[in-house]
Amino acid sequence: MDENGSEIEFSAFPYKPYPIQIDFMKALYQSLEKGGIAMLESPTGTGKTLSIICSALQWLVDQKQKKLDLRTGSDMNSNGKAEDQRSSDDEPDWIRNFVVNKERKPPQDKIKNKKFGSTKVNNKKEREVCKTVRDMLSHNGGVEGVQDVAVKRERKNGVEEVGDEEFLVENYESEGEGGAGLKRRGGFESSSGEEDVEDGLKDEEEETRLKIYFCSRTHSQLSQFIKELKKTKFASELKVVSLGSRKNFCINEEVKSLGNSTRINERCLELQKSKRNGTSKMKNLGGGRRVRKTKASPRCPMLRNHKIQHEFRSEVSQQGPLDIEDLVDIGRALGTCPYYGSRSIVPSADLVILPYQSLLSKSSRESLGLSLKDNVVIIDEAHNLADSLISMYDSKITFSQLENVHSHLERYFQRFYNLLGPGNRRHIQILMVITRAFLRLAHDKDVDSAGSTCSTAENQTSLDSSKALNEFLFSLNIDNVNLVKLLRYIEESNIIHKVSGYGDKIATLQNNVNGKIEEGSTLSAFRALLGILTSLKHNDGDGRMIISRPRLTCSGQQGGYLKYVMLTGEKIFSEIVNQAHAVILAGGTLQPIEETKERLFPCISPDRFNFFSCGHIVSSENILPITVSRGPSGQSFDFSYGARSSSRMIEELGMLLCNLVAVVPEGIVVFFSSFDYESKVHDAWKASGILGRIMKRKRIFREPRKNTDVEVVLKDYKETIESLSSCESKNNHSSCSGAVLLAVVGGKISEGINFSDGMGRCIVMVGLPYPSPSDVELIERVKYIEGLDATFANRVSISSSTTECSNGDIHTGFDILRCCKQRGRQYYENLCIKAVNQSIGRAIRHKNDYAAILLVDARYSSDPSKRSPQHLANKLPQWIKGSLVSKPVNYGEVHKMLYQFFKFHRKKESGQ
């Protein structure tokens, strides 16, 4: 029922909905009415996407109608034409506060306080800052001979140092030192490369609308959402737009050929900054000040004609909901940019469809101009939301990139020293001090346990360590750097483009390659450094700095990087929650929900949170989940880290599969914990002859490591099952009857591939796929989460006692996990069980589908009457847990249950 007590109808649902679908839609609708946060769980294969569309968009249409009625009623009351209109008090507060057709303020011009002409420099202040820089240079190794070389203006390597004016950075003075920001020589210049593009795309201010933002993880999932949306009446009633990355949208072949997302973004923005003069107009700056602003055109040919860009908007509006491929096709046909074209539609859209990154990242939201204020956010596939969110704020730079940046800075400083103002000299020197300090970490002898010998698999991980941010800065003696001012300088001065551009020019001349150097590599390295510097602004306890030193291999020193790892997403997610009217987290398996609540919104009040979970559309007779604790020979299954590689365990697993191929029809999918373990098992089976025995009944396929090869393997797997199953139905004496797919938990197959019908008659989960404790980032998160419930003193104790030994050693990782008593251990276990749930949920895809699910490890088994709430079996999805045979039984009983299960369904399919 809605807020007025009437029954909610979902007339847009294109089929007769199942009861569980109606329950889900009602729960979603009521959550949107109430506002706040809701977690809604609907098993994979139950029509979750269509249910989300029909309930959320029905609510949106209802709100639009209510606001229209409210506005009409208000107009009638003011004209004396209606006396009994419903009071606005009947509306929720957030609706009354939502202003319809409010006058949008034009975006504020990004005008800095610029001063032209000479500026007096505070000599005392200058001397103090220069002294600080000299001290830092001295402590961190200095920049030997830089000034002497610059004064002499020597020619190096035969390169003529003339005609480099385009690379000279503008004079810069930071606040409090005689001015603010850049000093330009005569004229106004926008600080944003995208401002003119946006101005050209928006002729008129759009109406402010109530919006729903729908996001999911992958491009294919968003395309599926649009496909389902087109089945409903909302496709023609509402304005819909899809957003994506430049890489997916770009139709400029020169830019697209760069391949890498970062390089495509950089090139796109660079093209916008290279403008051709056009018309000009006077702009009022306020306070009686006016300036003439030149309306410039970007050099990208796909953005020159604003008229065509408006044709793009019109074409999109006429065609209804379109995915990225459709938008690209329209953009290519018209010869205009679909990336900026789709962005221009956002203000007038009712539904915005976009990937995780674009909505969860604050910088991405600001770049796209997305306003969450009083709007609705729906996040699908939210089972790993906490980890996905914090990973977006990670940053990384390799030591080879640092070497590249440092050498370019030194070369630039030498070339332009006499032409640079004191502000530029000082900031460039600080950048060199920082890069030099970072590079010292690559050669820190105190932690290099590999010595002078070649690294092996056992000692390679010992070169990884972690530090808190303050500890990291103090250890490098760069804690006195004002990062806020430094980052402002980098942004305002355009220094990274100047330095990388000059460096690329010199490299071209020196290498005599006719300009065919790897464009963008230096710029990407600068961007990586900028990411690390930005990360250092976070609070000390929000993240950790991972230091992975280069490995000394027989072929030389390789690898090594610095990486900032965010540990908490609470503050980041609170920005979304506090702005939006409602945030919906949807997924096939969201259990255990307590972990998500504690990591993303621990302080949410009960009246602002709702959880709903519906059952599956399949009946209990269509699934057979069994815990398999023993193999055919009676050997207990133990796939823990220390026991899984034993020849006895691998052989017993092979014997189990030999038995399964004889009783399970069509396709079997076997999930392993890692590619390495799958490879070890496959090779052992091949050597022992077990593989040959299996292949007498079913063909074997293996998940490739490269995602690009997965589609080919799946196509062959499906065709094999269909052809061999067809042969078996015609010839009951056929020995070969399907296929086996060896897959990996966490790979592409386990996350997004559906094994409906014959492709997945049996899912075999081998062991418990716990993440490796040798992962330094994982252990840092475990330590942080374990300390969430502790006092400050205990938290410091936990951190200090483990920091020194958290160096990537797997045994140390296990020791830390054993020290965890509460949330840290639960988080580690939840990562495992969520991976299991995602994998085993791949099989049942529709009401008449059926499959067996085998959980192969003694640790899954338990007596339900004696099972603790924290037991792994209790964290399985409800639709599986309700039918789970978890009491330990011998393999003979398992085989009997499987035989009867598939015999029953064969008869059912044949109509007997």
Side-chain angles (χ1 to χ4, degrees):
M1 295 184 181
D2 64 15
E3 60 181 1
N4 298 317
S6 59
E7 189 71 20
I8 305 169
E9 295 185 2
F10 302 102
S11 58
F13 205 89
Y15 318 109
K16 183 178 180 180
Y18 298 115
I20 63 167
Q21 293 172 330
I22 296 176
D23 293 341
F24 181 89
M25 289 189 286
K26 287 181 177 179
L28 176 52
Y29 191 100
Q30 290 164 357
S31 296
L32 294 177
E33 281 284 289
K34 182 180 178 181
I37 302 176
M39 297 180 69
L40 306 179
E41 186 179 63
S42 180
T44 304
T46 56
K48 170 171 59 69
T49 300
L50 197 56
S51 298
I52 290 174
I53 291 169
C54 292
S55 54
L57 298 188
Q58 183 63 57
W59 176 85
L60 180 64
V61 169
D62 291 347
Q63 301 313 306
K64 288 161 66 76
Q65 185 60 49
K66 287 178 182 179
K67 288 191 291 182
L68 180 61
D69 293 343
L70 181 62
R71 185 173 60 185
T72 304
S74 177
D75 292 342
M76 292 177 68
N77 282 329
S78 65
N79 294 327
K81 296 181 179 180
E83 299 177 358
D84 300 322
Q85 293 295 333
R86 186 175 60 186
S87 168
S88 63
D89 290 339
D90 293 338
E91 302 296 338
D93 290 341
W94 72 272
I95 293 182
R96 295 201 303 274
N97 294 334
F98 193 90
V99 182
V100 183
N101 282 328
K102 72 178 180 180
E103 182 179 352
R104 295 182 63 196
K105 296 180 180 180
Q108 294 294 321
D109 295 311
K110 298 181 179 179
I111 302 171
K112 302 179 180 65
N113 180 22
K114 310 207 183 286
K115 296 185 178 182
F116 304 103
S118 62
T119 306
K120 292 183 179 180
V121 179
N122 186 326
N123 292 328
K124 181 179 179 181
K125 179 77 171 179
E126 179 68 26
R127 287 195 298 271
E128 291 175 353
V129 176
C130 288
K131 181 179 183 302
T132 300
V133 173
R134 284 197 301 271
D135 292 342
M136 292 168 61
L137 287 169
S138 175
H139 187 278
N140 289 282
V143 185
E144 296 88 349
V146 167
Q147 297 185 14
D148 292 337
V149 173
V151 171
K152 292 178 181 178
R153 302 289 305 279
E154 293 178 346
R155 295 180 181 180
K156 301 198 64 174
N157 300 323
V159 178
E160 185 70 44
E161 296 185 338
V162 293
D164 296 332
E165 292 82 1
E166 63 179 302
F167 302 113
L168 179 61
V169 68
E170 298 280 358
N171 290 336
Y172 186 92
E173 292 174 356
S174 60
E175 295 177 7
E177 299 173 14
L182 296 176
K183 293 172 58 183
R184 301 196 186 279
R185 294 182 284 273
F188 174 87
E189 181 175 331
S190 170
S191 63
S192 171
E194 301 184 79
E195 189 172 302
D196 290 325
V197 174
E198 299 295 344
D199 288 346
L201 290 174
K202 298 176 184 176
D203 284 359
E204 58 190 48
E205 295 298 334
E206 299 280 5
E207 175 185 321
T208 300
R209 293 170 178 254
L210 173 63
K211 300 184 193 306
I212 291 180
Y213 293 96
F214 176 89
C215 62
S216 193
R217 289 187 312 108
T218 66
H219 175 61
S220 60
Q221 288 166 345
L222 295 176
S223 296
Q224 179 63 27
F225 180 88
I226 292 173
K227 182 179 179 181
E228 295 296 306
L229 175 60
K230 288 180 178 179
K231 298 178 182 178
T232 72
K233 64 179 183 180
F234 298 124
S236 58
E237 292 182 359
L238 298 175
K239 196 166 185 178
V240 183
V241 63
S242 296
L243 299 180
S245 66
R246 285 182 173 88
K247 181 178 180 180
N248 287 328
F249 268 122
C250 184
I251 58 173
N252 185 328
E253 295 302 328
E254 177 191 350
V255 177
K256 192 172 183 179
S257 64
L258 297 174
N260 180 273
S261 296
T262 302
R263 295 172 64 184
I264 289 175
N265 291 340
E266 292 289 349
R267 183 56 179 159
C268 177
L269 294 173
E270 184 182 333
L271 284 173
Q272 293 174 41
K273 290 176 181 177
S274 303
K275 302 182 178 76
R276 294 173 178 170
N277 292 333
T279 60
S280 64
K281 61 181 179 180
M282 296 301 294
K283 194 147 190 169
N284 192 349
L285 302 181
R289 295 180 300 143
R290 302 177 72 200
V291 70
R292 182 172 296 279
K293 181 179 178 182
T294 300
K295 188 92 169 182
S297 299
R299 289 189 183 276
C300 180
M302 303 304 166
L303 280 171
R304 289 177 185 166
N305 193 322
H306 293 162
K307 183 178 179 181
I308 298 180
Q309 292 160 15
H310 291 301
E311 289 182 22
F312 176 88
R313 296 173 62 180
S314 176
E315 184 72 18
V316 171
S317 298
Q318 292 176 10
Q319 293 197 25
L322 301 171
D323 61 17
I324 289 178
E325 283 82 2
D326 297 327
L327 294 170
V328 168
D329 289 341
I330 294 175
R332 187 173 283 115
L334 294 175
T336 190
C337 178
Y339 173 75
Y340 283 106
S342 61
R343 283 176 54 166
S344 70
I345 300 172
V346 171
S348 62
D350 300 298
L351 173 63
V352 180
I353 302 168
L354 68 169
Y356 266 16
Q357 176 73 33
S358 300
L359 186 128
L360 297 178
S361 168
K362 183 178 180 180
S363 60
S364 296
R365 290 199 305 273
E366 292 175 346
S367 173
L368 293 170
L370 306 181
S371 173
L372 305 185
K373 181 66 175 175
D374 293 328
N375 289 319
V376 170
V377 173
I378 299 178
I379 303 174
D380 197 15
E381 299 297 323
H383 53 279
N384 286 327
L385 178 61
D387 286 331
S388 298
L389 180 63
I390 59 179
S391 68
M392 293 177 187
Y393 289 81
D394 291 350
S395 56
K396 178 181 176 181
I397 186 168
T398 65
F399 286 118
S400 61
Q401 286 178 313
L402 278 169
E403 293 276 8
N404 189 10
V405 168
H406 188 75
S407 63
H408 276 72
L409 285 169
E410 283 192 326
R411 182 186 294 116
Y412 184 89
F413 194 71
Q414 292 170 5
R415 168 65 180 88
F416 294 103
Y417 178 81
N418 281 348
L419 302 177
L420 294 171
N424 281 312
R425 284 202 301 267
R426 181 171 57 258
H427 284 97
I428 294 173
Q429 284 178 311
I430 291 173
L431 281 171
M432 289 192 290
V433 167
I434 291 174
T435 54
R436 175 69 63 85
F438 287 171
L439 284 168
R440 283 198 295 112
L441 292 169
H443 311 291
D444 192 336
K445 299 286 193 301
D446 295 336
V447 194
D448 189 354
S449 63
S452 58
T453 60
C454 298
S455 290
T456 65
E458 294 180 358
N459 63 21
Q460 280 187 353
T461 56
S462 65
L463 297 178
D464 293 346
S465 61
S466 66
K467 291 181 183 292
L469 292 188
N470 287 346
E471 180 188 4
F472 177 77
L473 293 171
F474 281 121
S475 68
L476 298 178
N477 197 41
I478 56 175
D479 54 289
N480 53 353
V481 173
N482 189 325
L483 288 170
V484 175
K485 284 190 175 182
L486 181 62
L487 289 168
R488 185 188 302 131
Y489 168 75
I490 294 173
E491 178 184 359
E492 294 179 353
S493 67
N494 203 29
I495 184 65
I496 64 176
H497 289 85
K498 298 289 187 181
V499 175
S500 60
Y502 176 72
D504 288 345
K505 175 185 176 182
I506 296 300
T508 300
L509 295 174
Q510 290 179 346
N511 295 319
N512 193 26
V513 291
N514 298 321
K516 296 181 180 179
I517 62 172
E518 188 179 353
E519 288 187 37
S521 58
T522 302
L523 196 57
S524 297
F526 269 102
R527 282 294 178 188
L529 176 63
L530 182 59
I532 290 290
L533 294 178
T534 302
S535 298
L536 293 173
K537 289 169 50 184
H538 290 295
N539 293 332
D540 185 53
D542 289 349
R544 305 282 286 184
M545 188 64 71
I546 306 297
I547 305 159
S548 179
R549 291 172 177 80
R551 273 61 171 165
L552 186 61
T553 66
C554 295
S555 57
Q557 189 168 275
Q558 296 181 355
Y561 58 83
L562 296 178
K563 182 176 182 180
Y564 174 78
V565 179
M566 181 73 81
L567 298 178
T568 173
E570 177 186 346
K571 296 175 185 177
I572 304 168
F573 198 66
S574 66
E575 295 178 356
I576 298 172
V577 174
N578 293 338
Q579 292 181 49
H581 161 64
V583 177
I584 307 296
L585 309 184
T589 306
L590 297 180
Q591 296 283 7
I593 65 168
E594 290 304 320
E595 182 219 334
T596 302
K597 287 178 62 177
E598 290 175 358
R599 295 183 64 195
L600 292 182
F601 38 91
C603 300
I604 189 78
S605 58
D607 63 315
R608 296 198 69 232
F609 176 75
N610 180 46
F611 175 73
F612 172 83
S613 180
C614 66
H616 211 297
I617 57 175
V618 300
S619 64
S620 58
E621 67 182 16
N622 281 28
I623 59 171
L624 180 61
I626 310 174
T627 62
V628 183
S629 57
R630 295 185 179 276
S633 70
Q635 172 69 39
S636 177
F637 279 126
D638 177 10
F639 291 98
S640 60
Y641 181 78
R644 67 184 183 185
S645 296
S646 70
S647 58
R648 181 71 185 275
M649 200 58 55
I650 293 176
E651 182 182 2
E652 192 73 16
L653 179 63
M655 292 173 61
L656 169 66
L657 197 55
C658 286
N659 280 272
L660 291 180
V661 297
V663 70
V664 177
E666 300 175 293
I668 300 176
V669 183
V670 184
F671 283 105
F672 293 88
S673 58
S674 68
F675 280 104
D676 289 341
Y677 186 58
E678 183 273 340
S679 181
K680 180 179 291 187
V681 170
H682 179 272
D683 293 345
W685 285 351
K686 185 176 182 180
S688 65
I690 289 177
L691 205 63
R693 291 170 58 187
I694 295 172
M695 293 180 69
K696 289 181 179 178
R697 301 302 299 263
K698 293 183 185 292
R699 285 189 58 188
I700 290 183
F701 294 85
R702 303 172 66 189
E703 178 176 1
R705 290 179 182 261
K706 292 178 61 177
N707 286 342
T708 52
D709 297 334
V710 170
E711 293 298 330
V712 176
V713 173
L714 287 175
K715 182 175 181 291
D716 291 344
Y717 171 72
K718 182 179 181 180
E719 291 176 351
T720 297
I721 290 172
E722 291 173 346
S723 61
L724 292 179
S725 298
S726 176
C727 291
E728 184 188 29
S729 62
K730 295 177 181 178
N731 180 12
N732 292 329
H733 300 291
S734 175
S735 60
C736 200
S737 62
V740 175
L741 176 60
L742 307 182
V744 175
V745 175
K748 185 173 182 180
I749 287 177
S750 70
E751 284 288 324
I753 306 300
N754 299 328
F755 293 100
S756 60
D757 301 319
M759 287 186 71
R761 288 300 181 212
C762 181
I763 304 295
V764 180
M765 175 59 62
V766 179
L768 289 157
Y770 284 106
S772 172
S774 65
D775 185 343
V776 179
E777 297 176 30
L778 168 67
I779 294 302
E780 287 301 327
R781 291 197 176 104
V782 169
K783 287 159 53 181
Y784 177 83
I785 293 169
E786 176 68 16
L788 287 177
D789 204 30
T791 64
F792 179 79
N794 288 337
R795 195 167 180 176
V796 172
S797 174
I798 291 172
S799 177
S800 62
S801 65
T802 57
T803 297
E804 295 302 322
C805 61
S806 181
N807 58 6
D809 177 70
I810 193 165
H811 300 293
T812 302
F814 277 123
D815 289 340
I816 294 172
L817 289 170
R818 280 190 285 268
C819 291
C820 295
K821 303 298 182 184
Q822 298 180 42
R823 291 179 176 148
R825 179 182 291 273
Q826 289 176 20
Y827 167 68
Y828 185 66
E829 291 180 350
N830 290 340
L831 287 177
C832 168
I833 204 65
K834 283 194 290 187
V836 170
N837 291 341
Q838 284 299 307
S839 300
I840 63 180
R842 298 294 99 198
I844 303 296
R845 308 305 304 173
H846 57 83
K847 184 179 180 180
N848 296 319
D849 207 355
Y850 64 94
I853 299 170
L854 305 185
L855 304 175
V856 184
D857 197 299
R859 290 171 291 177
Y860 284 112
S861 299
S862 67
D863 187 334
S865 62
K866 301 177 182 179
R867 197 159 60 206
S868 70
Q870 296 303 320
H871 191 275
L872 293 169
N874 282 330
K875 297 181 180 182
L876 294 169
Q878 182 59 46
W879 62 278
I880 292 178
K881 184 168 58 177
S883 303
L884 181 66
V885 181
S886 61
K887 195 171 183 178
V889 295
N890 60 50
Y891 178 73
E893 294 177 79
V894 172
H895 197 86
K896 181 179 179 181
M897 285 187 282
L898 288 171
Y899 175 78
Q900 293 174 341
F901 176 78
F902 289 112
K903 180 180 179 181
F904 168 79
H905 284 284
R906 276 197 298 269
K907 288 184 176 180
K908 189 176 179 180
E909 287 179 329
S910 62
Q912 297 180 8

